[in-house]
Amino acid sequence: MNAPEWMRADWPAPPGVIAGTTLRQGGVSGGRYASLNLAAHVGDDPGAVEVNRERLRNACGLPAEPRWLTQVHGAAVVPAKSAAGLPEADAIVATQPEAVCAILTADCLPVVFATSDGEQIAAAHAGWRGICAGVLEATLAAIGAAPSAVLVWLGPAISQEAFEVGKDVREAFLARDEDAAPLFERNPGGRWQADLAGLARLRLRKAGVSQIYGGGRCTFREAGSFFSYRRDGQCGRMATFIFRRGSRSGA
């Protein structure tokens, strides 16, 4: 069996900060979940998920088990040091070395954060509901640093060309900010194509973040690399993670 594949975040990360997103190859799950499914809540065999998570830890050099969340498409943020069990939240922040913040996606936008000194990191699950509800701003608030001192990387997510939504989604964003209008394009069927990464960038910039990277990979179109709920329905999930190496890891 091949080793798990992952893409390293393409950003000028602070020293010792490692972040990236897994690809779908290199696991042991079969069928709809083939092969590196990392989610325990989607109907996959629990034993296969545990093997896949062990492979993730080994292949990516994770210093600890990720602090997994019960993601609910909201704006709640939890600190890694108190994230016991599976707390209901869509973002997690850490200040201690070797704590692994992680979220699971299969079309929603994964977002990682780091302060320029590397002392604080975070990961957020940003679907359209979460972005509209303010999960990105809530994550920045939990970090507590000046937004100008925060770097952000946007991982793979569904692209605007593949993300069709109804007028309710567009209206929800416009009610918060009319500047979101150009990020929705009407399609021939009278519905809208939403730019999920663009909506995240808009909210981050308005919150004061200027160092924003990534956001160019499409989960829907790249079937060989990513799971996609919109494309396949029941399917696996990728993990996007971030951690800071401690002195024991050579930082």
Side-chain angles (χ1 to χ4, degrees):
M1 178 70 67
N2 294 330
E5 301 175 9
W6 64 289
M7 55 183 286
R8 189 179 291 265
D10 53 343
W11 63 337
V17 173
I18 309 297
T21 297
T22 60
L23 304 184
R24 67 178 299 171
Q25 305 302 328
V28 299
S29 295
R32 291 178 175 270
Y33 311 104
S35 66
L36 189 69
N37 167 47
L38 296 162
H41 67 285
V42 295
D44 194 6
D45 174 60
V49 175
E50 182 52 44
V51 171
N52 290 341
R53 289 183 173 185
E54 182 179 4
R55 284 172 173 253
L56 164 69
R57 295 191 296 270
N58 293 335
C60 300
L62 303 188
E65 177 71 13
R67 310 295 177 92
W68 304 108
L69 304 174
T70 299
Q71 298 168 193
V72 294
H73 297 276
V77 185
V78 296
K81 63 183 178 182
S82 61
L86 294 168
E88 286 194 359
D90 285 275
I92 180 168
V93 299
T95 56
Q96 65 272 38
E98 302 192 348
V100 182
C101 297
I103 52 101
L104 298 167
T105 61
D107 281 334
C108 290
L109 180 69
V111 184
V112 295
F113 303 72
T115 51
S116 55
D117 60 7
E119 293 296 312
Q120 298 182 74
I121 59 170
H125 164 239
W128 77 260
R129 290 180 178 85
I131 295 173
C132 195
V135 69
L136 301 176
E137 294 91 337
T139 305
L140 287 168
I143 290 171
S148 59
V150 176
L151 295 83
V152 173
W153 179 70
L154 311 180
I158 193 167
S159 65
Q160 183 172 14
E161 293 76 14
F163 190 33
E164 180 183 278
V165 299
K167 66 178 183 179
D168 58 321
V169 176
R170 180 174 180 269
E171 289 173 354
F173 277 96
L174 295 188
R176 295 284 301 258
D177 185 354
E178 292 186 355
D179 289 343
L183 299 169
F184 292 86
E185 294 184 359
R186 188 182 291 275
N187 64 29
R191 287 167 62 83
W192 300 89
Q193 302 298 131
D195 183 352
L196 195 62
L199 290 164
R201 289 191 190 96
L202 176 66
R203 298 294 285 266
L204 288 165
R205 288 185 181 123
K206 292 211 168 189
V209 178
S210 59
Q211 302 179 79
I212 307 171
Y213 305 89
R217 301 290 296 273
C218 177
T219 51
F220 185 93
R221 297 187 180 279
E222 298 182 55
S225 295
F226 304 117
F227 295 110
S228 168
Y229 185 81
R230 277 286 182 114
R231 183 187 63 233
D232 300 325
Q234 189 175 8
C235 65
R237 300 290 189 272
M238 291 85 65
T240 295
F241 60 87
I242 183 169
F243 64 93
R244 174 167 60 92
R245 295 191 188 279
S247 57
R248 290 177 298 164
S249 301

